[in-house]
Amino acid sequence: MRHPMPFGADYTPERTVFRLWAPQAAEVKLQRFCTGSDEEPGARFLGEVSMKGPVEGVFTYTAPGNLKNEYYQYILTDSDGNVIWSADPWALACGVNGQRSMVVDLAETDPSGWAGDRGPDLAGKAPVIWETHVRDFSSDPRSGVTPANRGKYLAFTEGDTTLDGAGEVPTCLNYLKKLGVTHIQLMPIFDYGSVDERHPERGYNWGYDPENYNVPEGSYSSDPCHGEVRIRECKEMIQAIHRAGLGVVMDVVYNHTYRSDSWLARTAPGEYYRTMPDGSPANASGCGNETASDRPPFREYMLASLCYWAQEYHVDGFRFDLMAVHDVETMNLIRATLDRLPGGERLLTYGEPWSALPTRMHPEAIPAGKAAVRQFNSRLGIFCDDTRNALVGSPFTVFEKGYANGNPSDKLAERVRAAAHGWCDRARMGYANNPGQILQYVSCHDNYALWDRLTIEEGAQNYDCMEPHRLQCCKLASGMCLTMPGIGFFLSGEEFGRTKQGDGNSYQGPEDLNRLDWGRTEQFADLVEWYRGLLGLREWLVPMGRLQPERAKGDYLEVPDNCVGFRLGGEGPWSTFLVYYNPYETGKPVTLPAGEWQLLCDGQHSDLWKADAPPVVSGGWMLPPVSAVVLGQV
Ligand code: CA
């Protein structure tokens, strides 16, 4: 179903209706062009016309005839006679580098079979999200993807890729469909401004700099100059991911725009942004400006844009960048609005519960940050930096160890026990309504990759060697994250020792530092198997139901020192589970509760549960050093 937009260019073969809200303009002219820039073959100016209005700030023009794939821009004149040009902030398509908007026939951008395209039905599985970047995913020359598609949307449509294009080691989507995650989170795929789409090889960026919110980025397409191509290829990517049984979460950056002088600012000055008392842009984003979700114009813009992506592109969820730049009322309204879309309740919504700097939102508005989680809709989640810091240490104090890498202090053990209850027990520092609001993670695109963090902290230099103790710390950290109640999340490649050679902020590239090195799936095959086994076991251990408060909590078990142990009601073949974490480099003795217990995961191997007859233990037992252990009773 197509989502109707209140403004923009509404196309039919018979006519196109242009609508622009420009509350301070006295006159608006529409200019039409053959191409998205004057440098392209066939560039031609098609004329200019004055739009009707304003009526309540809205200018309208109905152009007769078929304007498909024509480009356009607006010329605005205010009452003082100041003239400015702008592309359309509501554009659904654009030319190269997003500088001119385009009239698009969306129906023609649908790939074959699109009407039947659906995101996955999780069928009781709790989500586990794997975060990647379109370019990082496939630019490795060994990725097995054909050279023309490397780093592009279409790389996802190559379903049978293997390392170096031959052999047995799966790569890219072929690898991912067997890993056990439920969703791919894509770093920005909306049109961003920091990479020249004509020459993507000359630049690299993560893309947190929005230019056109409702258009896919052009540098990931095979042809950035024909606006319909990026739309079709983006849809083909999503369709291919869905066919692999996975969902797509879109990373959205509504908190700021690339330029303060954006299309939003040019067409409606002062309406969409917060300002300082002197009129200069407020800057809670740390990127030069902050949008104003607490006021109707931007709130409505966000709502329309999100509904459009959900319906036109079939995305399965949204990750909100710097969500505390937005207000709680808007975020809850977003959740309620998405819920009303057909199938909308299954969309995931979560974000970073912080801003870069304090916001200038209305004093009565409440930032959607950590302190306000209890006021969130219970299906609006947050990244839990508390769990991350407890498990592996804060990224801002890199030589300070976490629980999983050599610091089993009283304080951290207490935080681990709380996290094991899904952070939803007030008495134990919890703050969420339910564990389904908590993303448990130890690495994401920001800060160090897990392998790098552990390497730096050891004072080591070599990021490429397989150091056994470091590997074990990775197993404990991920073992804890994925056995705790909550939504699972990890940075792509965490499961094969991803390295950026110690770079803690690689947003500007280079590409070869950021891209996934698929050869590491061979080198770190043992770690990949650990994640795969764990993700399979998690389906029983942390099913969807476990994300409810009453189901999350287990009984704590007797453990020595600052080990942690808890008992959970079982699922599937097991009536009860025991989960133990031993952060010490020595074995620790425990007395298991009465009865015989199957050893499902021993801290080294997470696939013991797959055996017909897993090893059985009872009574006094020794927890292996540096281990996350799961036992089950039949
Ligand atoms: Ca762009």
Side-chain angles (χ1 to χ4, degrees):
M1 201 204 324
R2 312 225 103 92
H3 185 76
M5 293 295 248
F7 302 109
D10 177 30
Y11 167 86
T12 68
E14 292 76 34
R15 55 68 181 150
T16 297
V17 181
F18 296 87
R19 291 187 195 91
L20 179 70
W21 181 61
Q24 284 144 59
E27 186 189 22
V28 179
K29 287 177 179 156
L30 169 74
Q31 293 189 331
R32 290 161 52 191
F33 305 85
C34 276
T35 55
S37 70
D38 288 334
E39 288 75 50
E40 290 162 56
R44 192 155 58 89
F45 182 53
L46 294 174
E48 176 180 276
V49 63
S50 236
M51 296 177 74
K52 292 208 172 81
V55 177
E56 293 180 349
V58 178
F59 292 82
T60 323
Y61 176 69
T62 301
N66 193 339
L67 273 61
K68 186 170 73 180
N69 299 349
E70 273 190 18
Y71 294 81
Y72 68 99
Q73 66 185 23
Y74 295 120
I75 307 292
L76 299 98
T77 307
D78 70 13
S79 51
D80 296 329
N82 300 308
V83 179
I84 192 168
W85 75 273
S86 179
D88 185 354
W90 293 85
L92 305 180
C94 65
V96 67
N97 288 326
Q99 297 301 293
R100 270 181 203 154
S101 306
M102 192 188 98
V103 178
V104 64
D105 179 359
L106 287 169
E108 278 197 355
T109 66
D110 291 349
S112 161
W114 186 244
D117 174 73
R118 296 279 181 283
D121 176 6
L122 294 185
K125 275 167 97 168
V128 183
I129 298 150
W130 190 85
E131 181 190 32
T132 198
H133 178 276
V134 170
R135 202 154 152 185
D136 294 355
F137 185 67
S138 62
S139 4
D140 181 357
R142 299 184 67 196
S143 67
V145 169
T146 51
N149 286 344
R150 284 183 203 149
K152 308 288 186 191
Y153 296 126
L154 292 180
F156 289 81
T157 66
E158 296 194 20
D160 52 358
T161 50
T162 55
L163 193 61
D164 279 330
E168 300 298 316
V169 182
T171 58
C172 299
L173 205 54
N174 195 24
Y175 159 89
L176 210 52
K177 67 190 177 194
K178 296 175 196 124
L179 184 60
V181 298
T182 62
H183 290 74
I184 302 179
Q185 178 185 302
L186 293 172
M187 290 161 71
I189 56 167
F190 54 75
D191 177 42
Y192 59 81
S194 53
V195 167
D196 183 351
E197 296 177 358
R198 284 196 180 85
H199 302 287
E201 70 289 352
R202 294 183 191 165
Y204 172 96
N205 207 283
W206 285 348
Y208 290 82
D209 45 84
E211 191 97 73
N212 289 288
Y213 277 114
N214 306 314
V215 182
E217 163 59 14
S219 66
Y220 302 148
S221 76
S222 64
D223 179 358
C225 292
H226 292 89
E228 70 282 13
V229 177
R230 61 176 77 184
I231 298 176
R232 186 183 312 114
E233 291 178 352
C234 182
K235 287 177 175 175
E236 285 181 59
M237 168 183 73
I238 291 166
Q239 184 181 44
I241 294 171
H242 285 165
R243 282 180 176 159
L246 302 167
V248 177
V249 175
M250 180 176 172
D251 192 339
V252 289
V253 187
Y254 291 106
N255 62 77
H256 76 280
T257 51
Y258 184 39
R259 305 165 212 275
S260 298
D261 179 28
S262 67
W263 315 137
L264 291 166
R266 288 189 188 195
T267 53
E271 298 287 349
Y272 292 107
Y273 295 87
R274 300 187 189 123
T275 50
M276 300 303 288
D278 67 0
S280 64
N283 188 23
S285 67
C287 299
N289 59 71
E290 72 181 82
T291 55
S293 64
D294 50 328
R295 296 205 306 268
F298 197 72
R299 178 179 290 173
E300 284 162 23
Y301 187 86
M302 277 177 86
L303 284 167
S305 179
L306 290 160
C307 289
Y308 175 72
W309 282 100
Q311 294 205 273
E312 185 64 37
Y313 288 87
H314 303 178
V315 302
D316 306 285
F318 298 102
R319 175 263 188 205
F320 293 86
D321 189 63
L322 301 183
M323 188 165 67
V325 175
H326 309 310
D327 59 298
V328 172
E329 191 182 340
T330 297
M331 294 310 303
N332 284 344
L333 185 60
I334 285 169
R335 185 66 257 183
T337 305
L338 293 176
D339 283 344
R340 284 197 297 273
L341 298 179
E345 288 183 351
R346 46 175 288 285
L347 293 176
L348 301 181
T349 46
Y350 55 88
E352 292 181 303
W354 49 76
S355 55
L357 296 163
T359 83
R360 294 277 305 169
M361 71 175 62
H362 189 280
E364 283 172 21
I366 301 163
K370 243 177 0 183
V373 176
R374 284 188 176 269
Q375 296 170 68
F376 288 11
N377 180 299
S378 62
R379 288 177 304 115
L380 174 63
I382 61 161
F383 285 88
C384 188
D385 58 338
D386 295 283
T387 302
R388 178 199 61 191
N389 295 351
L391 296 196
V392 297
S394 162
F396 307 112
T397 49
V398 94
F399 293 102
E400 201 168 288
K401 292 173 184 295
Y403 184 85
N405 49 320
N407 182 14
S409 67
D410 293 351
K411 182 180 139 201
L412 293 184
E414 181 61 19
R415 292 171 72 173
V416 168
R417 273 192 289 274
H421 270 200
W423 286 116
C424 54
D425 182 343
R426 246 182 221 280
R428 292 187 180 274
M429 325 172 28
Y431 47 70
N433 296 304
N434 62 61
Q437 282 187 292
I438 299 294
L439 272 78
Q440 306 287 22
Y441 74 110
V442 288
S443 77
C444 64
H445 67 270
D446 277 323
N447 311 121
Y448 298 105
L450 177 60
W451 189 256
D452 285 357
R453 194 207 148 83
L454 298 175
T455 307
I456 293 167
E457 195 181 74
E458 286 168 13
Q461 306 292 330
N462 189 338
Y463 299 97
D464 299 315
C465 74
M466 255 272 267
E467 204 285 311
H469 180 70
R470 202 181 304 155
L471 189 67
Q472 200 50 39
C473 289
C474 283
K475 286 187 175 178
L476 176 55
S478 54
M480 292 172 74
C481 265
L482 292 172
T483 54
M484 286 173 175
I487 293 179
F489 179 98
F490 53 101
L491 176 67
S492 51
E494 183 189 290
E495 77 280 19
F496 46 88
R498 180 170 182 180
T499 178
K500 300 183 202 171
Q501 301 295 320
D503 189 330
N505 188 9
S506 57
Y507 78 103
Q508 287 186 303
E511 176 187 281
D512 59 6
L513 190 65
N514 280 278
R515 73 188 177 205
L516 292 175
D517 174 356
W518 287 103
R520 266 171 114 92
T521 59
E522 250 187 335
Q523 190 190 354
F524 287 77
D526 174 62
L527 190 56
V528 173
E529 282 311 310
W530 166 260
Y531 275 77
R532 209 192 307 277
L534 207 52
L535 289 165
L537 180 56
R538 182 182 153 88
E539 289 183 37
W540 307 110
L541 192 66
V542 190
M544 197 63 168
R546 190 83 77 202
L547 305 188
Q548 295 306 313
E550 66 280 5
R551 294 277 319 283
K553 290 178 190 175
D555 309 317
Y556 291 121
L557 298 164
E558 286 274 327
V559 284
D561 303 328
N562 278 327
C563 293
V564 170
F566 53 99
R567 180 194 347 233
L568 294 168
E571 295 277 340
W574 299 280
S575 62
T576 311
F577 290 113
L578 307 177
V579 180
Y580 288 101
Y581 308 139
N582 174 17
Y584 296 94
E585 290 185 40
T586 53
K588 291 285 173 182
V590 289
T591 303
L592 300 175
E596 296 200 320
W597 296 90
Q598 289 184 344
L599 185 56
L600 309 178
C601 166
D602 67 0
Q604 282 290 347
H605 303 284
S606 58
D607 59 355
L608 304 178
W609 59 276
K610 291 181 184 170
D612 290 338
V616 172
V617 294
S618 61
W621 191 64
M622 191 70 86
L623 298 177
V626 192
S627 66
V629 169
V630 182
L631 300 123
Q633 199 160 52
V634 176

